[in-house]
Every structure is written in C-alpha cells, then in structure tokens.
C-alpha cells in the first residue's frame, strides 16, 4: 500500500513494533528441547498482550499464530509437537494485524550448538537483505531489489528460491507488487515514496526448487537442502528505507 497520511504511517509503525516484540520473545526461547508449538504460544501471547492478531489466521485461516519452519522447511511451517534439536535451523515468521494494518518479518535462528553450514546460510539471507536495502529507494524499480539479493546469494554459493517472493503489504498480507528475489525483467514496478513492501531473501543450500507438504501449508525444498529466511516490512523513501519491523 502507499502511505497516504501521517496517521497511517504511525499505525504501521505500531503493528511493526508488535511484530518485532514477538520475534524477539520467540528468539530468546529457541533452544534444544523446546517444541515449535511452545514457541508459537510465546509469539501468540505477545500479540494478544498488545491487542494484535495473527494475520495468517485472520486472512487465510492458518492453523496457528506463527509460521515456524525448520531445516528444509522454507515457509509456512505449522508449529506443533516437533522438538528442536541442537543444530536445527529455525525460521520464525510473524505477520500481525493491529487496527486494520499489517506488518510481516522473519528471522532465522540456528539452534546451538549450530554447525558452520547453518550459520553461513543464515548469514547469507541477512546480508542479502542488507544489500537489497542499498537499492530499495524511490526512483529504482522492484527488480533492482531482486538483482541485489541474487547477486549476494550466488556470491556465497547458495540459491534463491525463485518461486517465493516479497510483496506489498498494509491492509492485507499480500498486496501488489510482488518483490522477487532475483532479477526478473518483468518486475518493473517503480519504487515510489511511501510504498510499503516486504523484502525477504529466502535462501536454499542447493537448487531452490520446492514441493508442497502434505499438510497443505508447509513449503519445503525438493532436494532436502536447508533454507534461511530474513524479512522486514519497510517504507520506501528517497533515501534509506524505514524498517517498520526492526526496532
């Protein structure tokens, strides 16, 4: 959505802050022996304490409050009885709704003691996001974000999951435009001041091809390679974007 007023910006900042608080609370609890269902309850409690709701539940009927994906699960993992093990790679993906506005962010957390490969994959997603922020400004086009993400991912020897992308956000979870994680010549939408989007590198160890899980929600890699995911909701400006879910 394009921001039309100061009041809309403040509303987006409020929901972005709740998303950040939920992610931080969950990340603090990531350890061997905890279940993904217990982490979901931590996140859900933060949302409730701040008067927010799980946007995936509201919009799509997702069967939990938070999407939690582990190892080869890329996105939309359903939390439950799975017990985290040392070395697992956990993606925490929070999308919240508050007062009619939505924000979305994700972080990848290696479960200690984590192997070097898991740490490098998580670092790749984070740095690819940082590279994208250098071009996520008014006057550029959406595909410049994808170009920056894919260049960094390839430089580090990994692959983007081309079928998974960032998106516009604001009044609902997925709005226009789509924000691919690779250079797509068709993604020529201009980035304009006040545009609200997510940028979310989703990085695979190997091919990046995916399959849908039998549960109807979880997306996992076709080859079993692990995945990292780093995401923020941001507002495009003439200079550095405003990261609504960063603080």
């Amino acid at each position: 959505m394009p921001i039309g007023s100061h009041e809309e910006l403040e509303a987006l900042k409020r929901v972005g802050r709740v998303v950040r608080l939920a992610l931080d609370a969950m990340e603090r609890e990531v350890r061997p022996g905890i279940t993904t269902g217990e982490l979901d309850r931590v996140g859900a409690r933060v949302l409730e304490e701040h008067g927010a709701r799980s946007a995936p539940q509201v919009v799509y009927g997702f069967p939990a409050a938070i999407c939690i994906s582990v190892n080869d699960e890329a996105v939309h993992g359903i939390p439950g009885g799975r017990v985290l093990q040392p070395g697992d790679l956990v993606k925490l993906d929070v999308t919240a709704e508050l007062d009619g506005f939505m924000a979305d962010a994700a972080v990848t957390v290696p479960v200690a003691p984590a192997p070097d490969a898991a740490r490098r994959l998580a670092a790749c997603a984070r740095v690819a996001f940082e590279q994208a922020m250098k071009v996520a400004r008014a006057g550029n086009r959406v595909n410049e974000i994808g170009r920056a993400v894919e260049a960094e991912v390839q430089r580090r020897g990994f692959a983007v999951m081309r079928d998974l992308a960032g998106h516009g956000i604001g009044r609902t979870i997925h709005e226009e435009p789509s924000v691919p994680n690779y250079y797509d010549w068709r993604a020529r939408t201009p980035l304009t001041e006040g545009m609200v989007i997510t940028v979310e590198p989703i990085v695979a160890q190997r091919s990046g091809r995916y399959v849908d899980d039998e549960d109807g929600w979880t997306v996992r890699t076709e080859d079993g390679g692990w995945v990292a995911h780093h995401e923020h909701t941001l507002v495009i400006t003439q200079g550095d974007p405003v990261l609504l879910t960063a603080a």
Side-chain angles (χ1 to χ4, degrees):
M1 65 171 281
I3 292 176
S5 67
H6 175 73
E7 289 73 21
E8 287 183 342
L9 176 59
E10 291 304 307
L12 284 163
K13 286 181 177 178
R14 287 193 294 273
V15 68
R17 176 62 176 162
V18 175
V19 168
R20 181 77 261 155
L21 291 172
L23 279 174
D24 289 346
M26 295 166 70
E27 184 171 359
R28 287 192 296 269
E29 296 299 322
V30 171
R31 62 183 183 276
I34 195 168
T35 68
T36 55
E38 289 171 323
L39 289 175
D40 178 67
R41 288 190 286 276
V42 170
R45 185 162 57 248
V46 173
L47 298 187
E48 183 178 2
E49 288 171 352
H50 291 84
R53 299 185 295 172
S54 164
Q57 283 185 329
V58 171
V59 176
Y60 298 120
F62 187 70
I66 313 296
C67 298
I68 302 178
S69 308
V70 183
N71 298 341
D72 65 319
E73 298 171 348
V75 291
H76 308 155
I78 302 173
R82 181 170 185 165
V83 178
L84 296 186
Q85 303 297 321
D88 281 345
L89 196 60
V90 183
K91 282 76 68 177
L92 307 173
D93 187 355
V94 177
T95 313
E97 181 275 333
L98 178 64
D99 298 328
F101 291 88
M102 299 188 184
D104 186 5
V107 64
T108 297
V109 186
V111 182
D116 181 63
R119 291 194 299 269
R120 287 191 295 107
L121 191 62
C124 178
R126 184 182 67 253
V127 175
F129 174 87
E130 292 167 356
Q131 292 300 311
M133 292 304 94
K134 297 178 181 179
V135 297
R137 58 191 60 201
N140 289 337
R141 295 186 184 274
V142 166
N143 56 22
E144 290 302 318
I145 292 174
R147 188 199 302 271
V149 168
E150 187 170 43
E152 184 63 27
V153 170
Q154 290 182 340
R155 189 181 73 81
R156 290 171 176 255
F158 299 116
V160 298
M161 298 191 72
R162 287 189 164 214
D163 295 299
L164 303 175
H167 47 88
I169 191 170
R171 289 295 192 171
T172 191
I173 300 176
H174 294 105
E175 300 179 353
E176 293 296 326
S178 178
V179 185
N181 286 312
Y182 65 98
Y183 182 77
D184 184 344
W185 66 269
R186 298 164 296 182
R188 295 180 55 80
T189 302
L191 297 170
T192 55
E193 191 161 9
M195 179 185 285
V196 185
I197 60 173
T198 73
V199 174
E200 47 180 310
I202 302 173
V203 181
Q205 278 183 311
R206 296 192 283 270
S207 74
R209 292 190 295 271
Y210 79 93
V211 294
D212 293 318
D213 197 85
E214 293 179 356
D215 64 20
W217 294 97
T218 308
V219 175
R220 62 175 73 242
T221 57
E222 183 180 60
D223 58 15
W226 286 15
V227 180
H229 182 191
H230 192 86
E231 176 185 15
H232 281 294
T233 297
L234 53 101
V235 181
I236 298 296
T237 74
Q238 295 290 337
D240 293 336
V242 178
L243 303 186
L244 297 172
T245 50

